[in-house]
Amino acid sequence: MQCGLCEAQQENYRIIEENEDTFSIIPTSPLKLGHIMILPKRHVEKISELSGKELKNFFQLVEKLKEAVKRSSNQDPIFHINTGKHKSQEHFHLHIVPTKSNLRKLIADQEDVPERQAQPKEKMEEMKNIILKNIGS
């Protein structure tokens, strides 16, 4: 199988930082300065396929680069992992993107829902039960 993100490990002009198990790159279509991707060096499709050591190295690099993105862009970054139909690549990766807004505001604006709307306990329990019913499905 040929994977463009695995091949990116050879594209030195895109590589920002790496450790034993993880590397970071500039996406081929960055949204803005500071938009980067963090990836395991080993090709995996899901985060659950990473070993404990790989996960530790992955999130150490995320933490290190989060601060670099913040200093480079003067904006706090958000982290994002695409799943399901939103995925454009089969190689697991995380995006770090600096933004003026937080994730709640971005989604509220995009989905045309209230940014904050407190729910009664009964509604929260109903939501919880729907999710619980689908664990392991």
Side-chain angles (χ1 to χ4, degrees):
M1 172 178 68
Q2 192 168 355
C3 171
L5 294 179
C6 285
E7 292 173 358
Q9 293 179 68
Q10 308 308 313
E11 298 170 347
N12 291 332
Y13 63 95
R14 295 175 65 191
I15 295 176
I16 303 162
E17 183 81 20
E18 63 184 305
N19 61 35
E20 183 181 352
D21 299 303
T22 309
F23 70 108
S24 59
I25 58 173
I26 301 293
T28 55
S29 301
L31 291 168
K32 61 195 285 189
L33 172 65
H35 178 193
I36 65 173
M37 295 167 61
I38 314 286
L39 311 93
K41 289 182 176 179
R42 184 168 65 90
H43 182 91
V44 298
E45 293 184 16
K46 301 178 199 167
I47 193 170
S48 60
E49 296 175 48
L50 294 173
S51 70
K53 176 179 157 289
E54 287 171 319
L55 275 171
K56 180 179 177 186
N57 285 334
F58 184 89
F59 283 103
Q60 283 179 340
L61 194 56
V62 168
E63 185 64 25
K64 181 178 184 179
L65 291 174
K66 172 193 76 154
E67 294 303 322
V69 166
K70 184 176 180 175
R71 286 190 297 273
S72 299
S73 65
N74 293 315
Q75 293 180 332
D76 288 313
I78 58 171
F79 302 160
H80 185 77
I81 298 171
N82 287 317
T83 62
K85 67 180 181 178
H86 303 295
K87 284 179 19 178
S88 62
Q89 303 281 337
E90 292 302 319
H91 189 128
F92 171 76
H93 59 281
L94 177 144
H95 293 264
I96 298 179
V97 184
T99 181
K100 297 174 191 172
S101 298
N102 62 38
L103 187 58
R104 179 180 292 276
K105 173 139 180 55
L106 292 170
I107 291 173
D109 290 349
Q110 178 67 32
E111 301 288 329
D112 196 28
V113 296
E115 191 173 331
R116 292 213 180 265
Q117 184 175 7
Q119 297 293 325
K121 290 178 183 177
E122 297 79 19
K123 180 66 175 175
M124 289 188 282
E125 185 170 24
E126 177 187 332
M127 294 167 92
K128 174 192 85 170
N129 289 334
I130 290 169
I131 293 169
L132 283 173
K133 186 173 84 175
N134 288 285
I135 290 177
S137 295

